[in-house]
Amino acid sequence: MLVKIQKNYKELSEKAAEILIKEISKNPSIVICFATGSTPPGMYKKLVLAYKKKKIRFSGITSFNLDEYYKIKRKDKNSYCYYMHKILFDKINIKNKNINFLNGEAKNYKKECENYEKKINDKPIDIQILGVGVNGHIAFNEPGSKFNSKTRLVRLSQETIKANSRFFKNKKSMPKKALTMGISTIKKAKKIILLASGEKKAEAIFHLVKGNLDEKWPLTSLKNHNNLVVIIDKKAASLILKKL
Ligand code: F6R
């Protein structure tokens, strides 16, 4: 595991974008799995800027996304599909046919999850972007998720509902379930880049860097991945720095 501690959120975003820009330049048909939430937008902004400056093109890349609420309409402003289009996809030249999402409207969620697993097996992910929940979740693999879990329907934890309901105008309308890539699905990626910013994430990062494999902290499942880059700011690193 490579841990890169940056001064603040701005520098964290720059570092993450710098790595992605290099990887995309090296391999224009790269497969990237993106994350949503409040951590990656700084990096997405830098990617859009690099595209505008003609440093990189996205026409050959394939995207996946980690998760989606269930049920939610794609056009709903709180869907992750809407988020990705607004923040990144509508601003770059990625081809629509190369964009893959879990469908939060799917009637048959089991089939939807199976198909997603198949798609990922057919187009293995080169780079996996991850954020982390305050409770250590990755994607929507909440504490207690099995490390060998696959893409599936999950119930969101109270902590996640509390953390994410701030994005919903009507808090009660937030779906309490989600479709998520499993931990084993995520770990199949050739390279994983995990981002964390702020003091709220310090405990989770401490478990990742200093703790043992522990299903109570889903992010610790990444400890034995052979190409994990952890990019965090000083606040998220505060506990590992203190206890070094
Ligand atoms: C988002 C996702 C979540 C977030 C996590 C952190 O696709 O899978 O696991 O990465 O909840 O969210 P923020 O960045 O808002 O703190």
Side-chain angles (χ1 to χ4, degrees), residues 31 62 64 100 113-125 150-151 181 184-190:
V31 181
T62 297
F64 285 92
N100 298 287
C113 294
E114 275 169 28
N115 285 342
Y116 208 63
E117 282 282 333
K118 266 191 220 138
K119 277 191 200 168
I120 294 173
N121 282 335
D122 290 346
K123 273 251 167 210
I125 292 166
K150 290 194 170 167
T151 305
M181 278 166 60
S184 74
T185 325
I186 290 170
K187 283 186 73 181
K188 279 194 280 188
K190 290 174 202 149

Side-chain angles (χ1 to χ4, degrees), residues 16-243:
E18 182 190 308
I19 296 176
L20 266 187
I21 290 167
K22 259 193 210 146
E23 297 280 356
I24 296 168
S25 310
K26 255 198 313 199
N27 176 10
S29 52
I30 197 164
V31 181
I32 304 177
C33 183
F34 292 106
T36 59
S38 53
T39 313
M43 174 188 76
Y44 293 149
K45 274 193 196 135
K46 298 276 167 204
L47 293 183
V48 171
L49 209 67
Y51 168 70
K52 284 191 176 151
K53 287 185 177 165
K54 299 196 168 39
K55 278 195 196 158
I56 39 168
R57 290 183 308 141
F58 291 85
S59 49
I61 82 154
T62 297
S63 79
F64 285 92
N65 257 80
L66 279 170
D67 41 19
E68 180 61 279
Y69 291 116
Y70 190 78
K71 283 187 162 180
I72 201 163
K73 292 208 160 51
R74 283 170 210 253
K75 289 194 175 138
D76 189 305
K77 292 203 163 125
N78 285 112
S79 81
Y80 286 166
C81 181
Y82 184 92
Y83 166 112
M84 283 307 301
H85 276 276
K86 194 165 160 243
I87 288 193
L88 185 65
F89 296 158
D90 292 352
K91 298 181 174 170
I92 57 175
N93 66 340
I94 186 168
K95 290 192 178 125
N96 250 322
K97 67 174 175 61
N98 294 342
I99 298 175
N100 298 287
F101 272 105
L102 279 158
N103 177 6
E105 300 179 61
K107 284 207 178 94
N108 187 339
Y109 64 83
K110 277 198 179 149
K111 212 167 179 188
E112 177 64 20
C113 294
E114 275 169 28
N115 285 342
Y116 208 63
E117 282 282 333
K118 266 191 220 138
K119 277 191 200 168
I120 294 173
N121 282 335
D122 290 346
K123 273 251 167 210
I125 292 166
D126 294 301
I127 299 197
Q128 174 67 62
I129 306 296
L130 285 181
V132 60
V134 173
N135 63 1
H137 74 205
I138 47 173
F140 278 133
N141 294 285
E142 299 284 24
S145 298
K146 295 273 170 256
F147 283 0
N148 63 1
S149 55
K150 290 194 170 167
T151 305
R152 68 202 186 287
L153 178 70
V154 294
R155 197 172 283 282
L156 300 175
S157 70
Q158 283 309 316
E159 282 142 315
T160 301
I161 293 170
K162 197 175 150 210
N164 289 15
S165 61
R166 70 194 144 115
F167 299 114
F168 287 76
K169 253 193 199 157
N170 171 5
K171 288 189 178 180
K172 284 196 181 140
S173 70
M174 179 185 161
K176 309 293 183 290
K177 291 181 185 166
L179 302 176
T180 183
M181 278 166 60
I183 292 181
S184 74
T185 325
I186 290 170
K187 283 186 73 181
K188 279 194 280 188
K190 290 174 202 149
K191 183 183 188 115
I192 298 180
I193 301 175
L194 182 137
L195 310 175
S197 165
E199 228 158 289
K200 280 195 295 191
K201 305 292 171 72
E203 192 182 358
I205 293 300
F206 180 77
H207 282 275
L208 172 64
V209 178
K210 299 281 168 190
N212 298 319
L213 296 177
D214 179 357
E215 282 180 353
K216 281 192 225 125
W217 289 92
L219 85 166
T220 62
S221 62
L222 306 172
K223 283 182 80 76
N224 54 13
H225 190 277
N226 61 13
N227 195 353
L228 169 66
V229 183
V230 179
I231 309 177
I232 52 183
D233 59 15
K234 277 194 176 154
K235 286 185 175 161
S238 56
L239 287 181
I240 54 171
L241 290 175
K242 219 183 253 175
K243 294 181 183 171

